[in-house]
Amino acid sequence: MELTDILSKEEWAVFEKELYDRFHINCTVYNTSGIGVTGKPNWCNRLCPEIKANKESLAAICAPGNQNFMAQAKQTRKAVIDECDVGLLKITVPIFSHEKFLGTAGGCGLLPAGGELETFMIEKTTGMSEEEIAGLCEGMGSMTEDQAHEMAKYIEKRIAELKNLAASCEESSTVRNSG
């Protein structure tokens, strides 16, 4: 079973947009390889698209963070809420079908309430100056720990609903085809 057996890419994109609209954070559903299912980012700031557009910063910042959070979520079967290497909040919720790990859903790109961005790695990997980074961070939002936990709970609830809906649609299809 794959994530696209639960929902189509288009339906996962609707789910990601739902999360973005509700929590104002970059939202992505990732398969077990750490690749976004939809390829349609919802940006909550101007810095993240610059980081992800640069192969070196993507490989140094986003990819390892995603791999680490995904591994923790898979192992614990629980949401992981923490900061990435540059100090942005990251929320990762595992998606399982029975015992099979299918991937994760979550978001990143806001500062934790009272948090501060670690610019050194961004400067080193993108070649941007501290002033350029500061400009891209103007108006960057933040999220409290309570809001992050609320988001994780919401994702868990919605994933359960989506899996139940997919299962009931599959059952109806099987009944129609066998009758």
Side-chain angles (χ1 to χ4, degrees), residues 26 28 36 41 51 53 66 72 76 79 83 88 97 99 110 126 141 144 163 168-169 172 175 178:
N26 304 336
T28 307
I51 291 172
N66 193 41
Q72 286 180 53
T76 64
E83 294 177 28
L88 295 174
S97 174
E99 294 304 310
L110 294 176
T126 64
T144 66
K163 287 190 323 190
S168 66
C169 288
S172 319
V175 169
S178 65

Side-chain angles (χ1 to χ4, degrees), residues 115-175:
E116 209 172 290
L117 193 65
E118 301 290 334
T119 60
F120 178 75
M121 186 180 289
I122 301 169
E123 289 175 49
K124 275 297 225 200
T125 59
T126 64
M128 287 191 283
S129 69
E130 196 169 338
E131 293 77 28
E132 289 172 302
I133 295 167
L136 291 171
C137 292
E138 280 182 28
M140 184 181 281
S142 64
M143 183 179 269
T144 66
E145 191 173 329
D146 287 346
Q147 290 169 321
H149 284 284
E150 176 190 333
M151 181 178 171
K153 292 274 187 232
Y154 182 82
I155 293 171
E156 289 168 350
K157 177 181 161 229
R158 288 291 291 131
I159 293 292
E161 291 169 357
L162 295 169
K163 287 190 323 190
N164 288 337
L165 178 62
S168 66
C169 288
E170 191 174 299
E171 285 174 19
S172 319
S173 174
T174 304
V175 169

Side-chain angles (χ1 to χ4, degrees), residues 25-83:
I25 192 169
N26 304 336
C27 296
T28 307
V29 175
Y30 292 102
N31 66 22
T32 56
S33 299
I35 298 169
V37 173
T38 68
K40 297 178 182 184
N42 297 294
W43 301 117
C44 67
N45 65 51
R46 295 179 303 143
L47 177 65
C48 289
E50 295 297 323
I51 291 172
K52 289 198 176 202
N54 180 302
K55 286 183 182 182
E56 191 175 333
S57 57
L58 178 64
I61 299 168
C62 301
N66 193 41
Q67 290 170 347
N68 290 335
F69 278 67
M70 183 177 279
Q72 286 180 53
K74 179 181 179 182
Q75 181 183 13
T76 64
R77 297 180 72 99
K78 294 181 181 175
V80 179
I81 301 170
D82 207 343
E83 294 177 28

Side-chain angles (χ1 to χ4, degrees), residues 1-19 28-31 36-38 95-97 102 104-105 154-170:
M1 175 173 266
E2 304 286 325
L3 288 168
T4 51
D5 293 327
I6 297 172
L7 296 178
S8 68
K9 286 182 182 184
E10 295 75 21
E11 290 167 320
W12 281 120
V14 169
F15 176 66
E16 290 173 345
K17 180 82 168 82
E18 172 190 338
L19 294 176
T28 307
V29 175
Y30 292 102
N31 66 22
V37 173
T38 68
I95 303 171
F96 283 88
S97 174
L102 302 178
T104 61
Y154 182 82
I155 293 171
E156 289 168 350
K157 177 181 161 229
R158 288 291 291 131
I159 293 292
E161 291 169 357
L162 295 169
K163 287 190 323 190
N164 288 337
L165 178 62
S168 66
C169 288
E170 191 174 299

Side-chain angles (χ1 to χ4, degrees), residues 85-102:
D85 288 342
V86 297
L88 295 174
L89 189 62
K90 185 161 178 63
I91 300 160
T92 302
V93 177
I95 303 171
F96 283 88
S97 174
H98 305 288
E99 294 304 310
K100 184 174 183 193
F101 179 67
L102 302 178

